[in-house]
Amino acid sequence: MRLKLRNIFLVYFVVSSAGLMYALLQLGQQCDCTHSTNYALRKEQLSHRGKENLPIIYVVTPTFARPHQRAELTRLSQTLLLVPSLHWILVEDSAERTAAVAELLAQSDLPYTHLNVQTPLAMKLKDSDPNWLKPRGVEQRNEALRWLREHRSPGDRGVVYFADDDNTYSVKIFQEMRYTQKVSVWPVGLVGGLRYEAPLVDNGKVIGFHTAWKTHRPFPIDMAGFAVSLSLLLTHPNARFDPDAERGFLESSLLGQLVTLRELEPRADNCTKVWVWHTRTEKPKLKQEDMLEKQGRGSNPKIFV
Amino acid sequence: MRLKLRNIFLVYFVVSSAGLMYALLQLGQQCDCTHSTNYALRKEQLSHRGKENLPIIYVVTPTFARPHQRAELTRLSQTLLLVPSLHWILVEDSAERTAAVAELLAQSDLPYTHLNVQTPLAMKLKDSDPNWLKPRGVEQRNEALRWLREHRSPGDRGVVYFADDDNTYSVKIFQEMRYTQKVSVWPVGLVGGLRYEAPLVDNGKVIGFHTAWKTHRPFPIDMAGFAVSLSLLLTHPNARFDPDAERGFLESSLLGQLVTLRELEPRADNCTKVWVWHTRTEKPKLKQEDMLEKQGRGSNPKIFV
């Protein structure tokens, strides 16, 4: 009896220990998530980006109310949703944060900060002005810089990208900028009257710029063509965009306070790939609205466009 | 000795059995995927859409080469990436499928079909023509219909949406259209000279249309404002877009062969929500290209924009 019990014990001990170890090892493995593909779960997965240990990309977008604003912000937010570890700072050109933008942000599933600052009247474009007449988004970008300096500290790893709401961004451009040490640069498509503008790179260093317009600018590069490390902005607390900068010199007014040409970090395959385009959206024609209004068939103001 | 061993055995047996049961129960649970958020894994999850048992949304996009084509297709493909169970049918207006579009599709992570058919010369817009002068994308959409009729059978559950490459789509519009029985309809923003065009709905039925232009059209609705169930298209093998249709009657030329007004299925909260906008992208200015070329500083043709 004694022998039998001891043997049973020993056998059970060995088998159960092996089984328990196997089960515990399985619990420690990263689970295979490829079967979890329904939309609701995917949205939840996409929104849990904060758990990665990646430097955060702070995307700063100035925006202002116009008929196609919601369309622009919708398609931009959907691109941003594909990028891990990203924080959207949306700054309205307005006296108050609007309900329309607040709702869009709340539904976007993105981590975000919603700010506002109104451009002084003297600086604002009139409807009939060409869009290049006065610099746009300056106060709004500076407001985002102010917020970052107030809410982030030099220990926070991140990079800041000034992304206007009508450009087109491949998700690849965000991969390119994430590990910026100081300022990284890359080509921008369809800008400056050219197919693309781009830094010229030799031996891994920027030696000049492929550009046609105001080539004497210290940094003849579009807003969409560079990103700045968060730490560089925090260690240069006075660096901001100059609202009085001559046309085309807005980017230089910031970058000149932060880096020299040689310190620029070329990305996108030594600046030979285009992953961001300076697209512009046509102003929608709304001439029929008044006509319908007069016929008593006006559009329903409760339907938000 | 005997007693001690038996007691040890009993205690161990109870504890290990409990532990083993717990571990086995844990293995049976659906794993918590919220920690798996790195970009590569997310892309893989997004691409495993075929495993869901959802009706497939066939997105038919005619496209043609122009400087901002790659930008348009990039941002559209990134929106489509957020939609489960979707198949993109991209049809080039060209004599052959181009390498540029083939590469974009291959990198898109989407299930796709790449087709081409060239618009007859008499039907093609000249550069100087206003874009509304001749209907665009007709042969390309019809080619997609031909492909679907050849490669799909009435047992396949799906819906077909004609999505031009310059519109803006919220992912919500795809949720709205997925379970279309025959033809579903919804508002479109920034079209027809209005803030929006939309079906008018009473008691869950479409009774008319909010539109200002050519209101006598049988279906005064933009291409982006409806979707057709795959089975309806397969059971009506001759229904297609009429390339000779009067301006504005292209949609009616197809829908008139498929449904009556009363059969239309209103979506988007009884057609009160705008989830798609008829945005248009400005033609980029490329005037500096020639100037740089003359200076011997022309753009690098190997850099694709």
Side-chain angles (χ1 to χ4, degrees), chain A:
Chain A
M1 182 60 181
R2 193 184 309 170
L3 197 65
K4 222 178 167 188
L5 187 67
R6 191 165 63 189
N7 288 349
I8 293 168
F9 181 20
L10 278 168
V11 169
Y12 179 81
F13 179 85
V14 168
V15 168
S16 63
S17 302
L20 202 63
M21 272 178 66
Y22 168 83
L24 289 170
L25 276 168
Q26 285 296 311
L27 284 174
Q29 292 284 343
Q30 188 158 53
C31 48
D32 168 22
C33 287
T34 53
H35 63 276
S36 310
T37 49
N38 69 75
Y39 183 64
L41 179 62
R42 187 176 315 124
K43 273 178 69 173
E44 195 187 294
Q45 290 165 337
L46 289 171
S47 69
H48 281 79
R49 279 183 300 273
K51 294 190 180 174
E52 292 127 351
N53 198 20
L54 301 171
I56 295 176
I57 300 176
Y58 294 93
V59 176
V60 172
T61 301
T63 188
F64 65 102
R66 72 274 198 206
H68 48 292
Q69 179 189 35
R70 191 163 155 258
E72 302 282 45
L73 294 179
T74 296
R75 62 182 164 187
L76 174 54
S77 70
Q78 287 171 174
T79 282
L80 299 184
L81 208 48
L82 293 167
V83 183
S85 208
L86 180 145
H87 186 115
W88 198 18
I89 303 178
L90 194 54
V91 194
E92 293 195 73
D93 186 347
S94 59
E96 286 174 359
R97 293 193 289 277
T98 64
V101 171
E103 185 183 333
L104 186 136
L105 282 169
Q107 291 189 356
S108 70
D109 280 331
L110 291 163
Y112 67 87
T113 294
H114 184 186
L115 303 173
N116 70 289
V117 66
Q118 197 157 36
T119 303
L121 214 58
M123 293 297 297
K124 274 183 95 72
L125 284 171
K126 292 192 282 292
D127 263 356
S128 50
D129 284 339
N131 65 69
W132 46 260
L133 191 65
K134 291 170 186 157
R136 294 187 301 176
V138 186
E139 281 79 8
Q140 290 72 39
R141 295 186 195 97
N142 283 340
E143 175 65 10
L145 290 177
R146 190 204 57 74
W147 184 90
L148 282 164
R149 285 162 176 147
E150 187 179 322
H151 293 90
R152 292 295 179 268
S153 51
D156 295 316
R157 297 164 69 215
V159 62
V160 181
Y161 184 46
F162 300 97
D164 292 350
D165 65 8
D166 55 351
N167 289 336
T168 300
Y169 307 90
S170 164
V171 289
K172 287 187 162 71
I173 199 59
F174 299 99
Q175 298 169 20
E176 296 291 321
M177 71 179 68
R178 194 180 290 280
Y179 296 95
T180 300
Q181 300 296 309
K182 291 191 174 186
V183 175
S184 52
V185 290
W186 48 77
V188 177
L190 309 174
V191 69
L194 299 175
R195 284 174 62 243
Y196 66 87
E197 280 182 341
L200 299 166
V201 178
D202 184 47
N203 241 2
K205 289 286 178 193
V206 175
I207 55 165
F209 296 90
H210 174 80
T211 177
W213 183 68
K214 292 195 179 180
T215 53
H216 58 284
R217 291 176 283 163
F219 295 91
I221 189 169
D222 184 78
M223 194 67 68
F226 68 93
V228 187
S229 77
L230 178 63
S231 60
L232 192 69
L233 287 165
L234 296 180
T235 51
H236 292 73
N238 296 322
R240 57 179 49 87
F241 292 100
D242 179 6
D244 297 321
E246 176 190 335
R247 184 175 162 228
F249 283 72
L250 200 58
E251 295 82 358
S252 300
S253 73
L254 176 76
L255 293 175
Q257 302 176 65
L258 295 172
V259 276
T260 64
L261 185 84
R262 277 200 66 76
E263 289 175 314
L264 294 176
E265 299 147 53
R267 295 281 195 268
D269 213 359
N270 279 327
C271 296
T272 60
K273 299 283 195 297
V274 175
W275 297 125
V276 58
W277 300 261
H278 194 268
T279 44
R280 292 189 45 78
T281 306
E282 282 185 10
K283 202 170 163 181
K285 300 178 181 69
L286 300 175
K287 293 178 186 175
Q288 305 286 355
E289 282 288 337
D290 288 339
M291 186 197 83
L292 277 198
E293 198 64 54
K294 285 171 190 156
Q295 292 177 5
R297 294 197 295 129
S299 68
N300 182 345
K302 288 186 188 168
I303 295 184
F304 294 115
V305 175

Side-chain angles (χ1 to χ4, degrees), chain B residues 88-105:
Chain B
W88 198 16
I89 302 178
L90 193 55
V91 194
E92 293 196 72
D93 185 347
S94 58
E96 286 174 359
R97 294 194 289 278
T98 63
V101 171
E103 186 183 334
L104 187 137
L105 282 169

